[in-house]
Amino acid sequence: MAYTELIIGTPVTVLRHMRFNWRWILVALLIIGALILSSATLFEYFEAAAQSASLPRASPFGWFDSFYFTIINVTTVGFGDIVPKTTAGHWIAIANSLLGLTAFGWFVAVFTIALQPASSRPTEIKIVLDWELLLRLLDSSSREQNDDASKSGPSDKPRRRLIIELDDSR
């Protein structure tokens, strides 16, 4: 059975590796933030009247209470101090649970990958071309192909090849 190791280095190396994946971490955080803010707004819209009626002595049910419920529901903690009273509130709570599990699972995966050091160092490849030489090679190559197409037999001329060697030994 094969095992995968999670190797975490010093904070400096972790930050260095995370800079390659910062876009994915940002996208994951934005999706989770949009999920929480939109869900809290919808929950407050559908539940405000029902929640305020069920707790007459408490302060009126507001957006912060809805935000609190959404955070508790999305993280699957579920204290039970605020529960949905309407059908729409129940559907929002179901969507929170399912989407929250998915979004946080995805975030943990992205963050774990960001913590992993790269398996090999990225190599920088620099190719320098002499454009005049390249254009002459392409021009002569196209002329040779036109000459070869006009002849029926194989050409005795040597073929020119452009070979680019990459040296990544540092």
Side-chain angles (χ1 to χ4, degrees), residues 2 19 30 39 45 75 85 97 119 156:
R19 78 169 181 210
L30 287 175
S39 180
Y45 176 77
T75 58
K85 305 283 188 215
S97 298
S119 59
D156 293 336

Side-chain angles (χ1 to χ4, degrees), residues 59-167:
S59 61
F61 188 82
W63 188 85
F64 184 76
D65 296 317
S66 178
F67 179 74
Y68 166 78
F69 169 77
T70 302
I71 294 289
I72 298 303
N73 195 8
V74 165
T75 58
T76 67
V77 173
F79 290 135
D81 53 347
I82 298 175
V83 293
K85 305 283 188 215
T86 64
T87 304
H90 285 98
W91 282 110
I92 292 169
I94 291 169
N96 278 345
S97 298
L98 296 176
L99 293 174
L101 283 171
T102 306
F104 277 106
W106 181 51
F107 177 74
V108 167
V110 166
F111 197 74
T112 303
I113 289 170
L115 289 175
Q116 289 280 343
S119 59
S120 63
R121 288 186 149 181
T123 49
E124 293 180 11
I125 300 171
K126 184 176 182 181
I127 301 174
V128 179
L129 296 175
D130 181 1
W131 289 106
E132 285 183 25
L133 176 63
L134 184 61
L135 289 174
R136 275 191 275 139
L137 284 172
L138 292 175
D139 186 45
S140 64
S141 172
S142 64
R143 272 193 248 133
E144 285 177 11
Q145 287 177 358
N146 290 338
D147 292 343
D148 288 343
S150 64
K151 297 178 186 176
S152 59
S155 172
D156 293 336
K157 292 182 181 178
R159 299 191 87 108
R160 292 189 182 117
R161 294 183 183 161
L162 176 63
I163 299 173
I164 301 173
E165 292 184 15
L166 305 175
D167 183 20

Side-chain angles (χ1 to χ4, degrees), residues 31-53:
I31 288 173
I32 291 170
L35 168 71
I36 290 171
L37 293 176
S38 63
S39 180
T41 303
L42 284 172
F43 192 76
E44 194 266 335
Y45 176 77
F46 288 111
E47 288 282 320
Q51 293 288 338
S52 295

